[in-house]
Amino acid sequence: MSIPAPLTGVVPPVCTPLTPDGEVDVPSLVALVDHLVTAGVHALFVLGSTSEAAYLTDARRRLVVETVAGHVAGQLPVLAGAIDMTTPRVLDHVASVTAAGADAVVTTAPYYARTHPAEIARHYRLLAARSPVPVLAYDLPVGVHSKLSAELVLELAADGTLSGLKDSSGDLGAFRSVVLGARARPDLAGFSVLTGSELIADSALAMGADGVVPGLGNVDPAGYVRLDRLCREGDWAGARAEQERLCALFGMVGAGDPARMGAGSSALGAFKAALHLRGVIACPLTAEPQVPLSEDEVERVGKYLAAAGLL
Amino acid sequence: MSIPAPLTGVVPPVCTPLTPDGEVDVPSLVALVDHLVTAGVHALFVLGSTSEAAYLTDARRRLVVETVAGHVAGQLPVLAGAIDMTTPRVLDHVASVTAAGADAVVTTAPYYARTHPAEIARHYRLLAARSPVPVLAYDLPVGVHSKLSAELVLELAADGTLSGLKDSSGDLGAFRSVVLGARARPDLAGFSVLTGSELIADSALAMGADGVVPGLGNVDPAGYVRLDRLCREGDWAGARAEQERLCALFGMVGAGDPARMGAGSSALGAFKAALHLRGVIACPLTAEPQVPLSEDEVERVGKYLAAAGLL
Amino acid sequence: MSIPAPLTGVVPPVCTPLTPDGEVDVPSLVALVDHLVTAGVHALFVLGSTSEAAYLTDARRRLVVETVAGHVAGQLPVLAGAIDMTTPRVLDHVASVTAAGADAVVTTAPYYARTHPAEIARHYRLLAARSPVPVLAYDLPVGVHSKLSAELVLELAADGTLSGLKDSSGDLGAFRSVVLGARARPDLAGFSVLTGSELIADSALAMGADGVVPGLGNVDPAGYVRLDRLCREGDWAGARAEQERLCALFGMVGAGDPARMGAGSSALGAFKAALHLRGVIACPLTAEPQVPLSEDEVERVGKYLAAAGLL
Amino acid sequence: MSIPAPLTGVVPPVCTPLTPDGEVDVPSLVALVDHLVTAGVHALFVLGSTSEAAYLTDARRRLVVETVAGHVAGQLPVLAGAIDMTTPRVLDHVASVTAAGADAVVTTAPYYARTHPAEIARHYRLLAARSPVPVLAYDLPVGVHSKLSAELVLELAADGTLSGLKDSSGDLGAFRSVVLGARARPDLAGFSVLTGSELIADSALAMGADGVVPGLGNVDPAGYVRLDRLCREGDWAGARAEQERLCALFGMVGAGDPARMGAGSSALGAFKAALHLRGVIACPLTAEPQVPLSEDEVERVGKYLAAAGLL
């Protein structure tokens, strides 16, 4: 299916449940998709950071897309990350995920390799020229170590290279520049501006963002669907209350001890522990070399769920 | 074959010649290997940064290792980069390059994903436990955005995880801490400490490094072989003169206009232009999305070659 | 005078007009203060980044505070930056600005020196113990190269060290964590949470921020005063329209050519050019070694003013 | 006195002994200077990083220069750091330290303020035009967060702006580019190229550096004087042995617990503890907000001294 232009609403970055030996747990993945679709989300984003794409082998990545695209069978759009270091490697992923059924791809600027703004622009132009599906830029400075400027995003939108932006930079001021820049041009009416922030989804929607891609949306998809609806109805007080409830729930990402593990292990471990505690997935394991949460840390996750009325 | 313990001498990171349409140019790669082996290098390192590993698809990576390992046929050791973001993906590359004939693998800490020192240690331990060949750590902060501390390297050497270090951090003080730390323990006598610096190979060898992995060694392997021999003979004045000649030659990495391209495009473009001008490879192309050198810039490369007596 | 707890409303970071030979232009500074006060701002912040505090000698800093505090004479609170690298040096500035009449000080974490979270906490505790006026933390990662975590800010608020936060990190998610964390504790009812962002002042106020500290507020103080009032009245559509007008005006910060100058020279040069074009200050000069705007670049600033109805 | 051109030999960055209440301990500072001069050092560098310049108030800075310059009374050159964020503030320090007797000033690029290469060049040109004494550039990326490129340093040397470079970047390859670039031009014969590294002083001297500025030189000045002499005599084996002894001694910088303090607190605390244990200074205190070493940590410093035959 083609993706809406613009793509709007709640687009959770789908966690990738794993078996105890690190393989994709297909039944749990299907159950998670059902959990999200039932809650009313508007599209799915697989193979992003929350999906642990960086930790999945090519075979596992393919299986994820096949599973999800096959299961939703066109009921709602499936976007897939094509996460790799440079153009030729990303193009291999584009071929793989589109063959497996993805409706659009989401890709970062080059990383690991030293880059230059001219090379980032060239990267996206080459990708767009060869991708059979729309390309959205993924702005993730914490991983990529460069920031996509609003100017570059709008330039690549205007020439048809990019169909949208998934912004995980945390910089809402720059994000707003893209929102306003896109709105100022009638030919960019279909350009999708999506935020990856869990904590300021209401702010992003209030300023005109098309949609939200919250990792926490795995744990509480109904919450983000409500938040999105309240924003579209202009009920800002209601939206703020719902957002604040989700902010409190998001505190779970700090469950892991920072002396023992990185922020990624803690956040992804918490999301998966929450999904396990809620009975959605069979095993809370995160991929290697991430450090698993301890029993005490899982218990802390449970307290966040309970406080939010989810357990 | 097994690699020497320690591995010593000149181990050039082999450039990957490409055809005009971006495929691996196998005859040129074979010619380049002959050019290096004839000059007397002691081992080969494929799929490192200078090899544009970050830009090569998995199929092209495999072809590179098969070609080089097949061609040298055990005459000298072949190390291969297994460059990817996290443990499961690196393990796929380890399987691929060892099946294709690599004698050892060289791997970085996790990148793109957020990491923690405990996760870096866990990453290397998991790799070593599952790799059929020795694992060398690749310290490349400019790409990985974290630095391997001397303490961690020595800890992982002491417990048998790491067989060596390929240091491209530019931090010769920290490098010396590894050299001295390894020498202080008889059980680490076989641990290989290699520098990736073109400009201070003589300094590294003088302080006890086992070998050098200079990208410029593609262009002038005989120069680095001479430099290594002079150092081993204790002819420090001669070594310094040879090193200074190579430093002047290294100026070619600045041939590309920084307003138009990144430092990587310029440096790799210059090495390949030099190999093309010297008649070793058929086409100087670098992989996408790197920006190619202009004719004027290639001419500048030629002047460096001429000044060094290589053209 | 004591500062309100919490401090609310619009608190512009006051530009420091200079004479052609780089001295503080006292009459222009007084005129600028009148321009701001007349527009209805709620407090003034001198010696922050927008004030070019980093570029002002100690004598010029003192003159700025004396001039502004003397001129407003208690009509509204005057906060002053005490910007320096470490505790002892900051304490000298605290003594100087409070002697000159500042009602509160705003200070960053240590910089230039290598820091550790424990040292940042110790820094603020030592400052607060010795400052005769309230201390607000200034979170400015672009200058300081570390980020104040929400946890640390709330810990230092809870023990009475900090009276407020001036957040210029651009990270509105982390900012919200401070807002919500402070609101959750009745004993922190007087803690002031202020954003330094020009582009998302409405979002910050909507989520419960106490006030805004926008550099662009020098150029259009009436706009930010209107925005603040609309937010307090809950007129979110009106606030958004006003904010979007200010976002367009903020485009002036890109007036300077990035090939010729840094982002600071361009932004501060634009604010001062705008104040000069609007007839508020006598000379648009920024301090050395910043690069001045060219005539063409000043003309671009004028177009932004005209488009916003300010010229 | 004028400084030699080039300045050669051992130029220790003089620690600043403090009294228990944080004032400059003048008698201890004089004793430390005597300790250094007696050991045969060739010049003194006050108010650098090792001197805790970032932590000293202006009054304390002035007292340090007056004390040291007054005490050595022209026996050997005294260089002084003029460490501040931007040109106008640095110029105040230049005036102060030269009035107090400094023979040359050492200054970084601007920091805290956002910079651009053109602004860095302008900064140094303005300083040199107004300084009554020679200006050396201080390359300290860990504090300044930008690196002085070899090209810029050589350009500013060639036009007479800079008289030398004090390199604390750790990047010996870039350092060598300055050494070789300066040597290639007869008009730069008097340009001083100095390394701040403790661990690779022999390497730097072997490649043609003029001198060394090792913080550890406070603790063991005689060691660095011997090292310098051995290098000048071409006794590279002897130099290497001496350097390796000093490398082992340098291990003391890790005495402080990284969970409790930053690397600066640990390193400076260790140098001062060592000077105290050796009976040179009266009190090992470092300036606020640095965290002091514990008794156990001081004991570890003592073991390093004992192992090096210094206690």
Side-chain angles (χ1 to χ4, degrees), chain D residues 19-64:
Chain D
T19 64
D21 58 348
E23 295 298 330
V24 176
D25 175 351
V26 171
S28 285
L29 179 55
V30 167
L32 173 55
V33 167
D34 286 342
H35 164 71
L36 299 172
V37 172
T38 305
V41 305
H42 304 87
L44 297 173
F45 172 38
V46 296
L47 303 187
S49 301
T50 302
S51 318
E52 298 175 82
Y55 299 88
L56 299 177
T57 61
D58 286 355
R60 291 172 192 156
R61 289 190 183 192
R62 215 160 24 236
L63 179 55
V64 165

Side-chain angles (χ1 to χ4, degrees), chain B residues 11-88:
Chain B
V11 188
V14 185
C15 283
T16 307
L18 300 177
T19 63
D21 58 350
E23 295 299 331
V24 176
D25 175 351
V26 171
S28 285
L29 179 55
V30 168
L32 173 54
V33 167
D34 286 341
H35 162 73
L36 299 172
V37 173
T38 303
V41 304
H42 304 87
L44 298 172
F45 172 37
V46 297
L47 302 186
S49 300
T50 302
S51 319
E52 298 174 83
Y55 298 89
L56 298 177
T57 63
D58 286 355
R60 289 172 193 156
R61 288 190 184 192
R62 215 160 24 236
L63 180 55
V64 165
V65 184
E66 283 168 2
T67 301
V68 173
H71 187 66
V72 303
Q75 289 173 77
L76 74 181
V78 176
L79 290 74
I83 306 301
D84 218 307
M85 297 176 265
T86 62
T87 321

